Amino acid sequence: MRASLPAVRNLGILAHVDAGKTTITERILYVTGTTYKRGEVHAGTTVTDFDPQERARGITIFAAAVSCDWDGYRINLIDTPGHVDFSGEVERSLRVLDGAVAVFDAVAGVEPQSEAVWRQADRHGVPRIAFVNKLDRAGADLDTAVASIRRRLHPVPLVVQLPIGRESDFTGVVDLLRMRALTWPDGCPAVREGPVSDELVDEARRRRRQLEEAVAELHPGALEEFCAQGTVSARTLSGALRDVTRSGDGLVVLCGSAYKNRGIEPLLDAVTAYLPSPLDVPPVRGIQDGVARERPADPAAPFAALVFKVAATATGRLAYLRVYSGTVRKGTVVWDASAGRTERIARLLRVQADRHSEVDVAVAGDIVAVTGPKAARVGTTLCDPGDPLVLEPPTAADPVVSVAVETRRSADTGRLAAALASLTEEDPSLVVRSDPETGQTVLSGLGELHLEVAVEKIRRAWNLEVAAGRPEVAYRETVVRGVTGLMYRHVKQDGGAGQFAHVVLDVEPADGGFLFRSAVVGGRVPREYIRAVEAGCRDALAEGPLGGHPVTGLRVTLTDGATHQKDSSEMAFRTAGRLGLREALRASEMRLLEPVAEVAVTVAEDAVGAVLGDLAARRGHVVDSAVRAGTANVTATVPLAELFGYASRLRSRTQGRGVFTARPAGYALAPEAGAGD
């Protein structure tokens, strides 16, 4: 069955690791009749965590797409990873989604990676609803979780349900819009609906009133009805919730226990009622002949699709597409706008995690996989050859950790190069380079686990014996005290036209990355040469004077210069900019920057002292500490280089009861050589 565009929902499940994303996805597939047996993460039987490493580690590593039908709607769903090392998968998924369900643990509330993925969704403007999961656990409390959402993420939470029972006695919810009780008794596979019990009716009315007042503050239509009648009807309330969700002014909050199969049907109803269809989001924007253009989500418009995932499978190479406009059929010839070549769509596949079913056509709003395009990479635009358009690709974070990789047999060197090329094609946040000093092949990624998974994939998928060195972090260099008036003259004469460029540079510290400006007066350096100087300065940032690390945090001002009537050129001034800035950096006071991470540690209260002492030994700075119900939560910033092996160290210091998560927190000045000796 093909759903019409208004009945399509493209959404992702976002959350911190272990908040229950994959379990929710499994229950959605079961409730919608897509699967006939509930998959369990602990048993390794889930649909979306199909990779052997995912099942062995019990976490989602790769974003997996599935589709299902619910009440006449077609739901294309992407289960995203929750571990910070795989945030690139989340970024690529959010680029093509129209909405999302943010999942929160009813005990922990907003956790570090919950906040990180929330900010990612903010950047992409993705409307969200929230699902507070695990209400059956000891210590679970909906109000506390909602308070942490308001405090840390700053939306306006609009709670539309009231839990029935607490912790292990949680059996259902009260739907505050319809004022009906929805329960899932033990052993009952389907939801039961009935009147609100006498014990809860007063509390339900109070919370319904709070919901009406909160929505009336955000929505003019609801406010008008509230002022005129003193209340807001369920129909008006539902329409207002849809509007504020899609505008981002409010956050609809639902609750349940996915593991106990409670709350999934209302969640699906909320997805179809409040999250947008492809028609409800702004038209996709792209570049055509240097001019910004829009494409509507219309099957009759020219075809345009974005590749957001590439995967090598046993049956061949798959490119996952979000079709934004137009129609594509099996056998269609399309234009690869990134590679500048035509490609043929050999097969169109409806995706169900690692299983696929062939289809003949895909239209605007669809998420499908295709075979055929050989040059397509993540971020590639496939479009109508007669009406080309380049869509904005997903961004890739800079890698922060590196390992040297090599094969145990020299005869496998070529196969290792092919395996690494395949890895970086599938995951652009992995970077491969050759160390110029040692000749080693270096693999860089977003974290220790990210690299562990990549190396293990080489071993399994390519059957290669690979050795990996100790992880190393990606340092940066920055200017602490700059120089003024540094003159550099580039003169080269080797027969024929020569090269001449004279520049005067000021270098000073600055917040952020690299800033360049010109203060040249009187036209002493023509405008085109000024641009060449800036390009040369950017070239010089690749290697700093301290250790060859990239340079950041500086402002360069071109204050003066001189040209030669015949020998000056853009190339000469680019060379002068590069070499002049290198000389200026050598004359400046430079410091190393090291990557730091925000670490959230959860331990038993009696182990706090040991954890704090270990963090201090790792140069950690504690920023927050709280104890609740015998459990301590410690948040600290720690240099990334000090976190290697921390997981096993934490387990040994806490008798296996401590857990931690880490997320990038930028860069900080590294201690000077000899400090603390």
Side-chain angles (χ1 to χ4, degrees):
M1 182 191 76
R2 175 174 295 282
S4 62
L5 271 178
V8 172
R9 298 291 183 272
N10 293 317
L11 69 134
I13 308 292
L14 311 175
H16 185 87
V17 65
D18 202 34
K21 299 181 305 300
T22 300
T23 301
I24 288 173
T25 303
E26 291 298 318
R27 298 305 185 260
I28 288 175
L29 294 177
Y30 179 75
V31 165
T32 58
T34 307
T35 58
Y36 299 97
K37 184 179 180 181
R38 293 188 289 264
E40 303 293 353
V41 173
H42 62 270
T45 57
T46 59
V47 171
T48 52
D49 285 356
F50 57 84
D51 187 271
Q53 289 202 73
E54 293 179 309
R55 293 185 170 180
R57 297 174 185 270
I59 61 172
T60 300
I61 295 173
F62 309 106
V66 293
S67 297
C68 57
D69 296 306
W70 176 254
D71 197 23
Y73 289 84
R74 182 70 172 179
I75 298 175
N76 299 316
L77 187 152
I78 297 180
D79 178 22
T80 66
H83 196 286
V84 64
D85 282 19
F86 308 106
S87 58
E89 291 278 328
V90 181
E91 184 73 17
R92 293 188 287 276
S93 299
L94 283 169
R95 175 63 182 81
V96 299
L97 294 174
D98 300 325
V101 176
V103 181
F104 301 96
D105 188 312
V107 179
V110 176
E111 297 170 273
Q113 190 59 12
S114 307
E115 191 170 353
V117 296
W118 185 272
R119 303 304 176 207
Q120 286 179 285
D122 279 343
R123 289 198 303 272
H124 289 277
V126 175
R128 281 142 281 172
I129 60 175
F131 184 80
V132 178
N133 193 26
K134 302 187 178 184
L135 274 176
D136 59 309
R137 288 182 57 198
D141 185 77
L142 176 62
D143 292 337
T144 302
V146 170
S148 74
I149 292 172
R150 179 186 287 108
R151 182 178 67 255
R152 296 191 62 176
L153 305 181
H154 312 296
V156 178
L158 303 170
V159 183
V160 297
Q161 293 175 338
L162 169 67
I164 300 175
R166 289 180 61 87
E167 300 179 352
S168 60
D169 295 326
F170 172 71
T171 58
V173 298
V174 174
D175 179 351
L176 296 178
L177 269 72
R178 298 185 299 134
M179 294 300 285
R180 300 288 288 173
L182 307 175
T183 56
W184 293 264
D186 289 335
C188 179
V191 60
R192 293 182 180 178
E193 183 175 333
V196 181
S197 65
D198 292 340
E199 301 85 45
L200 287 177
V201 68
D202 289 340
E203 178 66 10
R205 287 172 178 165
R206 184 182 71 82
R207 292 188 178 238
R208 166 61 184 259
R209 183 70 175 184
Q210 288 179 343
L211 176 63
E212 291 177 355
E213 292 173 351
V215 172
E217 291 181 1
L218 300 172
H219 192 273
L223 177 62
E224 184 178 350
E225 185 171 317
F226 185 79
C227 293
Q229 303 179 13
T231 186
V232 182
S233 67
R235 182 175 180 179
T236 301
L237 203 54
S238 179
L241 289 172
R242 180 179 61 249
D243 292 342
V244 299
T245 296
R246 296 177 184 180
S247 67
D249 293 329
L251 177 70
V252 172
V253 180
L254 300 97
C255 60
S257 169
Y259 182 69
K260 293 290 184 67
N261 313 305
R262 293 166 184 161
I264 302 302
E265 294 93 338
L267 174 62
L268 286 166
D269 290 336
V271 163
T272 59
Y274 306 134
L275 290 180
S277 75
L279 291 177
D280 298 318
V281 297
V284 68
R285 295 177 62 86
I287 302 297
Q288 185 179 63
D289 298 328
V291 179
R293 302 288 187 192
E294 291 185 347
R295 285 280 170 85
D298 182 358
F303 171 66
L306 183 71
V307 177
F308 69 93
K309 182 179 177 69
V310 173
T313 69
T315 57
R317 183 176 181 275
L318 295 181
Y320 290 75
L321 307 179
R322 162 65 192 268
V323 182
Y324 281 100
S325 67
T327 301
V328 62
R329 292 178 170 80
K330 183 172 63 174
T332 300
V333 174
V334 298
W335 179 254
D336 182 334
S338 303
R341 56 184 282 182
T342 56
E343 299 272 15
R344 182 178 176 273
I345 303 296
R347 299 170 67 203
L348 276 169
L349 303 170
R350 181 74 63 190
V351 181
Q352 204 70 2
D354 61 335
R355 299 188 296 273
H356 313 93
S357 58
E358 199 155 343
V359 295
D360 294 325
V361 63
V363 302
D366 279 341
I367 292 178
V368 294
V370 301
T371 64
K374 296 180 177 60
R377 302 290 185 266
V378 172
T380 290
T381 301
L382 299 179
C383 55
D384 187 332
D387 202 346
L389 186 75
V390 179
L391 303 177
E392 181 184 357
T395 58
D398 292 332
V400 294
V401 181
S402 302
V403 292
V405 291
E406 61 182 14
T407 58
R408 299 191 184 277
R409 300 188 308 166
S410 59
D412 289 334
T413 303
R415 293 180 58 212
L416 175 61
L420 290 171
S422 177
L423 273 182
T424 56
E425 183 179 305
E426 294 183 25
D427 185 354
S429 55
L430 290 170
V431 176
V432 177
R433 63 180 175 85
S434 177
D435 190 301
E437 295 183 2
T438 65
Q440 290 180 307
T441 299
V442 178
L443 178 65
S444 303
L446 301 182
E448 194 174 5
L449 180 59
H450 191 204
L451 296 179
E452 281 182 21
V453 168
V455 172
E456 184 62 25
K457 189 169 185 178
I458 293 174
R459 291 174 179 147
R460 292 191 184 202
W462 291 78
N463 194 27
L464 282 171
E465 294 186 25
V466 180
R470 185 182 184 277
E472 296 182 356
V473 301
Y475 290 96
R476 299 285 187 268
E477 299 180 21
T478 192
V479 175
V480 177
R481 185 169 63 244
V483 295
T484 59
L486 187 136
M487 294 184 289
Y488 187 85
R489 182 182 293 250
H490 173 65
V491 181
K492 187 176 182 181
Q493 193 74 44
D494 53 4
Q499 293 186 28
F500 177 89
H502 177 76
V503 296
V504 181
L505 302 175
D506 288 352
V507 176
E508 57 187 324
D511 294 331
F514 169 69
L515 301 173
F516 180 89
R517 71 184 187 92
S518 171
V520 176
V521 296
R524 291 178 58 81
V525 180
R527 183 173 300 175
E528 61 270 21
Y529 294 167
I530 292 175
R531 290 194 296 266
V533 174
E534 179 180 0
C537 289
R538 292 186 183 277
D539 295 339
L541 299 177
E543 294 183 3
L546 295 180
H549 309 293
V551 180
T552 187
L554 73 161
R555 179 187 292 107
V556 176
T557 304
L558 177 64
T559 60
D560 200 358
T563 62
H564 186 277
Q565 187 174 2
K566 293 183 179 180
D567 293 343
S568 290
S569 64
E570 290 187 27
M571 180 182 297
F573 272 90
R574 181 165 186 160
T575 302
R578 182 180 76 253
L579 299 178
L581 182 55
R582 283 184 181 176
E583 188 171 307
L585 292 177
R586 286 193 293 267
S588 300
E589 182 181 345
M590 305 290 293
R591 285 281 299 276
L592 275 182
L593 293 171
E594 61 180 349
V596 296
E598 180 183 278
V599 179
V601 186
T602 302
V603 295
E605 187 176 1
D606 58 4
V608 171
V611 168
L612 292 177
D614 189 45
L615 288 173
R618 295 172 184 269
R619 296 190 285 126
H621 173 64
V622 176
V623 296
D624 189 35
S625 180
V627 178
R628 178 186 172 198
T631 299
N633 296 296
V634 178
T635 303
T637 56
V638 184
L640 191 60
E642 302 288 349
L643 286 178
F644 296 137
Y646 183 60
S648 58
R649 181 71 171 173
L650 179 65
R651 284 193 295 268
S652 68
R653 284 182 171 269
T654 61
Q655 290 77 50
R657 295 178 295 166
V659 296
F660 85 100
T661 58
R663 66 184 181 99
Y667 281 79
L669 287 173
E672 295 186 74
D677 290 352

